Amino acid sequence: MKHTIFPDSKGYFGQYGGRFVPELLMSALRELEQTYLSLKDDSSFCAEISRLNATYIGRPTPLYCASRLSEYIGGGKIYLKREDLCHTGAHKINNAIGQILLALRMKKKRIVAETGAGQHGVATATVAAKFGVECHIYMGTEDIRRQSLNVFRMQLLGTKVIGVESGSKTLKDAINEALRDWVTNVKTTHYILGSVCGPHPFPMIVRDFQSVIGRETRQQVLDCEGRLPDLLVACVGGGSNSIGLFYPFLNDTEVKMIGVEAGGFGIHTGKHAARFAGGKIGVFQGAKTFVLQNPQGQIQETHSVSAGLDYSAIGPEHSFLHETDRCKYVSVTDDEALQAFLLLSELEGIIPALESAHAVAYLLKNPPPKGTVTVVNLSGRGDKDVLEVQRLLNEKKGKNV
Amino acid sequence: MSRIVEIFNSLKVKNRKGFIAYITAGDPTLEFTENLIQELSCIGVDILEIGVPFSDPLADGPVIQEAVERALEHNTSISHIFEIIKRVRKTNKIPLVLFTYLNPVFQYGIENFAKDASDAGIDGVLILDLPPEESLEIYPVIMRNNLDMIFIVSPTTENSRLDEIVRLSTGFIYYVSHTGVTGEQSNIDSEIKKNVNFIKSKTEKPVAIGFGVSNPEQVKQVSGYGDAVVVGSAIVRRIKEYRNDPLGPKKVANFVNDLLKPLR
């Protein structure tokens, strides 16, 4: 099956996706879709993105052979795709740059966005500053607490950060509030959604802007190894860094792909964000996809040590790739991610984001066979997480005494 | 002919405008909701919209968000709502519209939902996050069970889509009078009249206007533009105020009675 022909004209990846939104947003989504489709192959638009990728984001990001990590794990060769070296410290800027250019073409004067870990918020605040556009970011107050450094960064960039007190006070609630803002100010405002979730055309647009990760990786692996990798591994919250890495390889059937969800305290505890292990198909925040919910269809709260993975739904294209078995989805726990965070820091001198540490943790549990080539998407750097990790380590020490 | 169509016909004969009240089911309790339906029907509310609580009501403002939280504290579900509707229906013929997000309906199962809603005595369904483009599967099921399906038209609806919405909508067409979430507004958008006239140039179906209407003056003003007025958040705010009062439903109905007066 050719996986790269999706979404269809209605925004579906197989049975997943679509555009389940209040009537007030329909015209804005259609305008966004038409603008994007008219520009995506436009040579001046593509040239502008390439120029900003090179001069502002710092692309291409390196593909780094993590030899001490590979040796420690004792299997095949592990490469890290260094998205943590992007300007602002994570892959989120790839999409933010693309979408602000769309917003400017649509003559929108104001930007809103949601953020979980704060990485998408910082990326959006950054491009808003660069292009001189007013920007409001919605963030759950629980996330504001655990990612306080990113809150201050956004403020330094001239963005107003608005705390969201409703629900679980995390990413899903921030998305609700950003959508409410967009519904109210839709004539003047563009919503820069940060992941491959939400209503069509967002899952397509965000994927396309993030696919630069996989396109570069493909060329870089061919250059170093003379062949394609055997395995790609990436963490999956909404799913933007993983689809960005996976998408350009989807038709290469010999390349296996693993998406790592947040197992939180463990699937059996119910406190996690593993949508495929604990969820079922539903309609949430604009798309039909796998959602953690109760039997009555109320959305369940999630838990993860990593704010960026702490989300009840998964991007619809991942549901499709799961259904067709093109990609496998697994989960690792908070503790396993924390161990990987410490290990990568010590072995490679790279402090990963807690989100990306989930992908590394999978390899610690499942060493790739000798002679194989694996690429892990190191989607973000861990500076934002050091205070939270310090707190967690102290908490653990306290328990051990 | 559905109860909704009947009521609009009889309003037309009497040369009167309709009053539609929104309440969230289970706010603060199912018993309160049941009593309130009876009270609102007694004072002459023409149609009742019963909100199905959903954990993530992204089209609703703070007042209805809080109502939903109160209703979900004791896990109000679609099955509970059908139970109280069945009891109400034994004595009461007021047209009832279920106002919901899609996911609770989707999990209940579309076929079962439409059948059970119809059996319970529900007359129409409005699914907030289901635009006509996504309703291809659901629409025939709703129709087959003799329910009306109401769609929303908003100030941002493009003309190219309006014809289809107007064609599919049965019972009435719900015109959202301002861009934004549900909630009370101090100024009613001046474009309402123009937009509603445009809709009415396309169809004979009644048009109800809602989102933001909160006082008798606005009821009078807005009713002049369409066939009915919807009031939600202003009523829900009184439900919160009287939620622990044994006479709560009566007191909320007294408030609604004042909103109704300009239409009588």
Side-chain angles (χ1 to χ4, degrees):
Chain A
M1 171 187 246
K2 206 165 164 68
H3 279 86
T4 46
I5 58 169
F6 298 97
D8 65 19
S9 62
K10 290 182 169 174
Y12 278 85
F13 305 86
Q15 63 165 316
Y16 306 102
R19 186 178 279 167
F20 296 87
V21 293
E23 178 58 32
L24 275 161
L25 288 179
M26 288 300 284
S27 65
L29 291 168
R30 282 158 56 94
E31 181 191 16
L32 177 61
E33 182 187 6
Q34 281 156 11
T35 305
Y36 176 68
L37 291 178
S38 72
L39 288 173
K40 79 185 193 85
D41 299 317
D42 177 89
S43 56
S44 76
F45 183 76
C46 295
E48 194 172 6
I49 290 199
S50 298
R51 187 177 57 80
L52 288 167
N53 276 349
T55 60
Y56 194 69
I57 300 180
R59 304 206 71 90
T61 57
L63 185 73
Y64 165 73
C65 182
S67 50
R68 292 193 70 211
L69 178 71
S70 305
E71 195 181 323
Y72 177 91
I73 292 177
K77 201 186 273 184
I78 296 168
Y79 285 93
L80 305 177
K81 178 59 174 167
R82 297 291 308 275
E83 291 299 298
D84 59 318
L85 295 177
C86 288
H87 178 42
T88 72
H91 72 291
K92 291 292 185 187
I93 190 103
N94 301 328
N95 167 53
I97 281 275
Q99 282 205 47
I100 198 149
L101 293 178
L102 293 177
L104 293 171
R105 300 276 181 137
M106 293 186 292
K107 309 215 178 333
K108 304 277 178 167
K109 296 175 175 56
R110 178 172 171 269
I111 295 295
V112 291
E114 83 296 341
T115 196
Q119 291 305 102
H120 175 57
V122 168
T124 304
T126 297
V127 298
K130 174 178 162 42
F131 288 97
V133 179
E134 183 188 353
C135 180
H136 288 176
I137 302 281
Y138 290 92
M139 188 169 185
T141 49
E142 168 61 12
D143 290 339
I144 286 179
R145 181 194 66 73
R146 54 184 172 172
Q147 304 285 347
S148 57
L149 214 55
N150 271 345
V151 175
F152 186 55
R153 286 170 79 196
M154 288 184 267
Q155 288 162 346
L156 285 175
L157 293 160
T159 277
K160 190 174 176 206
V161 180
I162 303 162
V164 178
E165 280 286 353
S166 56
S168 55
K169 305 174 176 59
T170 60
L171 183 56
K172 86 173 171 71
D173 311 287
I175 294 178
N176 285 338
E177 218 41 51
L179 282 167
R180 289 182 186 119
D181 184 313
W182 197 29
V183 164
T184 309
N185 302 297
V186 62
K187 287 171 188 160
T188 58
T189 299
H190 175 59
Y191 176 20
I192 300 190
L193 188 60
S195 196
V196 287
C197 50
H200 180 62
F202 283 113
M204 169 179 73
I205 290 179
V206 179
R207 175 199 70 196
D208 289 354
F209 287 141
Q210 291 296 357
S211 292
V212 67
I213 302 171
R215 284 198 305 273
E216 285 176 9
T217 302
R218 204 166 188 285
Q219 191 54 52
Q220 288 166 324
V221 179
L222 285 172
D223 290 346
C224 314
E225 296 288 333
R227 66 177 181 93
L228 291 176
D230 300 289
L231 178 66
L232 306 174
V233 185
C235 64
V236 189
S240 70
N241 90 79
S242 47
I243 208 81
L245 176 65
F246 295 171
Y247 187 70
F249 292 94
L250 284 179
N251 293 333
D252 301 311
T253 46
E254 69 270 37
V255 181
K256 291 196 175 71
M257 303 175 190
I258 304 271
V260 186
E261 298 186 279
F265 294 135
I267 307 298
H268 63 283
T269 65
K271 293 182 187 310
H272 62 82
R275 287 66 46 101
F276 290 126
K280 57 181 191 272
I281 300 173
V283 176
F284 181 51
Q285 290 180 336
K288 186 188 275 190
T289 188
F290 272 77
V291 185
L292 289 168
Q293 55 187 314
N294 76 8
Q296 285 76 43
Q298 306 297 344
I299 308 307
Q300 272 173 356
E301 295 183 0
T302 50
H303 164 79
S304 169
V305 67
S306 130
L309 304 183
D310 208 349
Y311 182 51
S312 319
I314 190 163
E317 189 162 12
H318 285 290
S319 290
F320 176 63
L321 296 173
H322 173 258
E323 186 176 280
T324 61
D325 228 13
R326 178 65 188 92
C327 304
K328 299 262 183 244
Y329 295 84
V330 299
S331 66
V332 303
T333 64
D334 284 357
D335 280 345
E336 289 164 343
L338 203 55
Q339 288 310 311
F341 177 96
L342 299 173
L343 197 74
L344 194 69
S345 304
E346 287 170 15
L347 286 178
E348 297 288 353
I350 296 170
I351 301 177
L354 279 171
E355 289 77 16
S356 322
H358 282 71
V360 177
Y362 168 80
L363 291 178
L364 292 174
K365 283 167 70 182
N366 303 278
K370 279 202 166 39
T372 59
V373 173
T374 295
V375 177
V376 177
N377 197 7
L378 204 74
S379 54
R381 68 181 184 218
D383 305 40
K384 68 182 176 64
D385 292 316
V386 292
L387 282 175
E388 181 68 0
V389 169
Q390 186 182 40
R391 189 184 70 80
L392 288 167
L393 293 177
N394 285 338
E395 204 176 274
K396 280 188 193 300
K397 262 188 220 156
K399 272 185 198 157
N400 290 341
V401 171
Chain B
M1 194 188 301
S2 79
R3 284 194 198 95
I4 295 171
V5 174
E6 250 171 58
I7 195 94
F8 276 108
N9 285 348
S10 90
L11 284 165
K12 203 168 184 180
V13 171
K14 293 179 203 156
N15 199 21
R16 265 179 41 198
K17 306 290 183 174
F19 186 93
I20 303 175
Y22 167 92
I23 58 176
T24 302
D27 168 31
T29 63
L30 285 159
E31 192 192 348
F32 192 108
T33 302
E34 189 175 339
N35 292 333
L36 184 55
I37 294 172
Q38 299 287 14
E39 294 286 347
L40 291 175
S41 161
C42 278
I43 61 166
V45 166
D46 297 298
I47 298 175
L48 262 176
E49 283 180 3
I50 309 291
V52 176
F54 177 53
S55 54
D56 294 77
L58 57 84
D60 285 301
V63 172
I64 293 178
Q65 286 175 46
E66 281 180 31
V68 165
E69 276 174 33
R70 288 192 292 272
L72 287 179
E73 263 169 37
H74 50 92
N75 300 318
T76 303
S77 69
I78 290 179
S79 309
H80 293 137
I81 298 169
F82 288 162
E83 279 168 33
I84 63 169
I85 301 299
K86 272 183 198 159
R87 279 202 296 275
V88 167
R89 269 289 172 251
K90 285 180 184 157
T91 59
N92 197 317
K93 288 195 160 55
I94 187 169
L96 296 169
V97 175
L98 219 50
F99 201 80
T100 185
Y101 291 84
L102 180 56
N103 201 47
V105 174
F106 189 74
Q107 298 311 324
Y108 194 97
I110 308 292
E111 291 281 349
N112 288 340
F113 168 81
K115 183 179 179 302
D116 293 353
S118 185
D119 288 350
I122 296 285
D123 303 294
V125 179
L126 192 161
I127 305 177
L128 272 162
D129 50 355
L130 189 77
E133 287 86 342
E134 297 290 357
S135 72
L136 297 180
E137 278 175 46
I138 297 176
Y139 188 81
V141 181
I142 299 287
M143 292 296 121
R144 203 164 60 235
N145 286 278
N146 301 313
L147 296 163
D148 281 318
M149 186 142 187
I150 296 128
F151 287 99
I152 287 178
V153 174
S154 84
T156 57
T157 300
E158 306 126 295
N159 290 345
S160 56
R161 294 181 56 253
L162 183 60
D163 289 337
E164 184 68 358
I165 298 177
V166 162
R167 188 180 69 79
L168 289 174
S169 216
T170 65
F172 62 94
I173 293 153
Y174 191 126
Y175 180 72
V176 168
S177 54
H178 70 105
T179 57
V181 293
T182 55
E184 298 148 79
Q185 299 286 311
S186 48
N187 289 311
I188 295 288
D189 197 318
S190 58
E191 296 221 322
I192 298 177
K193 189 176 178 179
K194 198 182 81 188
N195 291 342
V196 173
N197 278 340
F198 187 67
I199 299 169
K200 293 191 80 66
S201 74
K202 305 237 169 208
T203 179
E204 299 277 298
K205 291 172 187 171
V207 179
I209 304 171
F211 274 39
V213 182
S214 65
N215 60 48
E217 293 71 40
Q218 290 174 338
V219 168
K220 191 170 167 56
Q221 184 195 349
V222 169
S223 66
Y225 307 146
D227 302 291
V229 180
V230 189
V231 180
S233 297
I235 298 172
V236 172
R237 202 145 56 83
R238 268 62 187 196
I239 294 173
K240 180 186 176 187
E241 196 177 327
Y242 300 126
R243 67 188 183 280
N244 297 319
D245 189 327
L247 295 175
K250 215 167 203 81
K251 289 183 176 172
V252 174
N254 285 341
F255 167 77
V256 177
N257 203 27
D258 288 339
L259 294 173
L260 268 169
K261 277 179 190 157
L263 304 183
R264 295 296 176 254

